[in-house]
Amino acid sequence: MEKIFNNTQVAFALKTDTELDRAYFLFKMIDSEPLVRIGTAVTNFALKAHLPVEGLIRATVFDHFCGGTTEEDCLTVVDKMYTKGVSSVLDYSVEGKEEEAQFDAALEMTLKTVEFARERKAIPFAVFKPTGLGRFYLYEKIGEQQPLTLEEQKEWNRVVARFDLICKTAHEKDVALLIDGEESWMQDAADDLVTEMMRKYNKEKAIVFNTLQLYRHDRLEYLKKLHELAKTEGFFIGMKLVRGAYMEKENKRAEEKGYPTPICESKEATDINYDTTMAYMMDHLDLMSIFAGTHNEESSYKLMELMEQKGIAKNDSRIWFGQLYGMSDNISYNLAEHGYNVAKYLPFGPVRDVMPYLIRRAEENTSVAGQTSRELNLLKTEKDRRKANR
């Protein structure tokens, strides 16, 4: 397999010299754990104290990792990326809400992004988080099979109705829908709900996609059971594959509550789990569609190899590669340049509301060995290339 991810000219073709310098500065900061800790604390304090820091945040970390504050605001970025064949997934990244009015607002925003996607070839997917539509505690309680009070049952019925309205709308408008994965102790309830939506709306093809976080060692087994169900009941499976986003939280809770951690024992075991699950899906494309959400070059090459071995076209609509906006441009743009389906997750929302997402991004980058230094090396290579060609 030809190694394509080192081409920085393709990777950063859309970045001006100033944007390249800003990206290099940001990743240099993220590379330092103490700086991330201090920056996070200072930012949280400044926002809580209502200090006028939004302009600074917007000009640095926000504009690098987010598309804008509203869906219309994102269109400049969406259109620009699409000139290079990279699609967008508009991700309303407001986290940690707990009230019914906020869940209804998230519902309306998600329906808006479905409509937005229907109108634009550059936006092939819509997306939402289960806890954007209902309280975490409810999912947790249902997952643990605890009885709900009458009020809680009514509340859960509203969560189900929100899910159903989004999935039904996506089905009617023929827009694929990604449903994000979250912490393991709420995921069972979300999985059951998403399976119900697949049963209803994936009769002709995969419209509704669940997410498998493959740092969990039980996820391939879960997929195999779902596959049996899909074969029996006649529906298609859409699945976004990611490594996972809550490792420290997962391990800590398992230790505190005295149960075995659901997380794979090592990074290597997670990589094997990811690649094995991806290969399983590729063996069953008759019923499955894959959104391979990964910043891992080896996994990307493996998926490309599997496609080649099986004689599957690079632009087969059942296979997408996905990365986050502001990261791994060397993977996204080089894949697009070679004709593969690629979409960037493009977070948006009010600056204050999106900060928890941005802080999580910075912390994840700090904890993923090699990710930030890889970004820095690529950015430096491109800066040097441009200098040499002046």
Side-chain angles (χ1 to χ4, degrees):
M1 176 60 64
E2 182 199 351
K3 300 296 179 196
I4 63 172
F5 298 141
N6 290 328
N7 187 331
T8 60
Q9 187 174 359
V10 169
F12 301 118
L14 294 178
K15 283 203 185 320
T16 63
D17 289 351
T18 307
E19 286 167 337
L20 212 57
D21 288 339
R22 180 184 68 183
Y24 188 79
F25 168 76
L26 271 178
F27 280 110
K28 204 80 182 135
M29 299 277 284
I30 289 168
D31 202 29
S32 163
E33 206 175 323
L35 271 181
V36 169
R37 271 205 313 273
I38 293 162
T40 298
V42 169
T43 304
N44 280 332
F45 171 77
L47 289 170
K48 277 178 187 152
H50 296 283
L51 299 176
V53 290
E54 287 188 26
L56 177 63
I57 293 166
R58 176 101 214 225
T60 52
V61 65
F62 185 92
D63 279 356
H64 182 81
F65 289 112
C66 298
T69 54
T70 65
E71 66 280 19
E72 285 89 0
D73 207 11
C74 293
L75 285 180
T76 309
V77 176
V78 169
D79 293 341
K80 198 164 134 185
M81 289 202 296
Y82 201 58
T83 63
K84 300 294 181 186
V86 175
S87 300
S88 299
V89 182
L90 291 189
D91 180 15
Y92 184 57
S93 296
V94 173
E95 299 186 355
K97 302 299 184 187
E98 286 283 304
E99 289 160 25
E100 290 293 295
Q102 293 167 328
F103 300 140
D104 286 335
L107 166 69
E108 289 310 314
M109 183 54 77
T110 308
L111 291 171
K112 224 173 177 183
T113 59
V114 170
E115 183 59 37
F116 235 59
R118 185 186 71 83
E119 293 167 356
R120 292 168 181 83
K121 204 160 179 279
I123 309 174
F125 293 88
V127 65
F128 70 89
K129 269 171 83 84
T131 53
L133 303 183
R135 283 191 304 143
F136 188 101
Y137 170 75
L138 269 188
Y139 290 96
E140 186 179 1
K141 199 168 177 184
I142 289 163
E144 289 170 353
Q145 297 178 328
Q146 292 180 33
L148 299 181
T149 65
L150 194 59
E151 277 311 304
E152 285 170 345
Q153 187 58 57
K154 285 180 188 167
E155 195 183 337
W156 181 249
N157 292 346
R158 289 194 293 273
V159 176
V160 175
R162 290 182 193 114
F163 258 80
D164 193 65
L165 181 57
I166 293 170
C167 294
K168 181 171 181 274
T169 305
H171 178 259
E172 284 168 357
K173 296 184 186 297
D174 198 24
V175 172
L177 182 67
L178 302 168
I179 301 174
D180 284 344
E182 301 190 60
E183 290 90 336
S184 63
W185 57 100
M186 65 71 65
Q187 192 61 45
D188 285 352
D191 285 343
D192 289 347
L193 196 41
V194 179
T195 300
E196 195 49 48
M197 298 298 121
M198 284 189 195
R199 274 193 180 106
K200 283 177 84 169
Y201 300 113
N202 285 8
K203 289 289 187 190
E204 300 94 27
K205 62 176 180 179
I207 287 282
V208 177
F209 283 63
N210 202 355
T211 297
L212 294 180
Q213 301 200 89
L214 291 157
Y215 64 179
R216 282 182 59 178
H217 49 68
D218 64 344
R219 295 289 80 189
L220 178 53
E221 206 43 54
Y222 165 77
L223 177 63
K224 286 177 178 175
K225 283 181 184 157
L226 184 64
H227 186 203
E228 288 309 311
L229 191 67
K231 282 192 287 191
T232 307
E233 297 191 11
F235 63 88
F236 289 83
I237 293 171
M239 213 48 94
K240 176 171 62 131
L241 306 182
V242 298
R243 276 169 170 75
Y246 306 95
M247 187 165 71
E248 283 163 21
K249 214 192 254 190
E250 291 281 358
N251 284 332
K252 192 176 172 210
R253 187 178 191 269
E255 200 179 316
E256 280 171 2
K257 299 215 172 248
Y259 61 82
T261 179
I263 304 299
C264 290
E265 61 188 10
S266 65
K267 168 78 169 71
E268 187 190 14
T270 298
D271 290 341
I272 291 166
N273 200 28
Y274 189 97
D275 294 342
T276 308
T277 305
M278 191 167 69
Y280 181 84
M281 290 193 74
M282 287 296 288
D283 285 340
H284 299 288
L285 274 184
D286 57 324
L287 275 188
M288 298 188 185
S289 293
I290 305 172
F291 186 99
T294 183
H295 294 185
N296 185 290
E297 292 179 18
E298 284 312 307
S299 289
S300 301
Y301 283 129
K302 277 179 181 157
L303 183 48
M304 291 156 71
E305 275 166 18
L306 286 168
M307 290 173 77
E308 198 175 292
Q309 284 163 17
K310 291 173 183 293
I312 292 164
K314 290 177 177 179
N315 64 348
D316 189 298
S317 62
R318 295 167 298 179
I319 303 167
W320 282 79
F321 293 80
Q323 289 79 42
L324 298 167
Y325 182 66
M327 289 167 64
S328 299
D329 286 347
N330 66 309
I331 297 178
S332 309
Y333 288 94
N334 281 300
L335 280 170
E337 174 82 0
H338 285 77
Y340 293 93
N341 295 323
V342 188
K344 288 275 208 191
Y345 253 58
L346 191 59
F348 73 96
V351 176
R352 283 173 183 275
D353 290 340
V354 173
M355 279 318 294
Y357 166 86
L358 288 172
I359 286 164
R360 193 152 57 80
R361 273 288 83 80
E363 287 169 350
E364 274 172 32
N365 265 290
T366 308
S367 65
V368 176
Q371 175 69 45
T372 305
S373 54
R374 177 69 171 140
E375 297 280 0
L376 284 167
N377 286 338
L378 290 160
L379 289 160
K380 185 177 186 313
T381 301
E382 179 58 11
K383 277 157 68 95
D384 291 346
R385 189 195 68 78
R386 290 185 188 184
K387 229 175 265 176
N389 288 331
R390 283 211 176 97

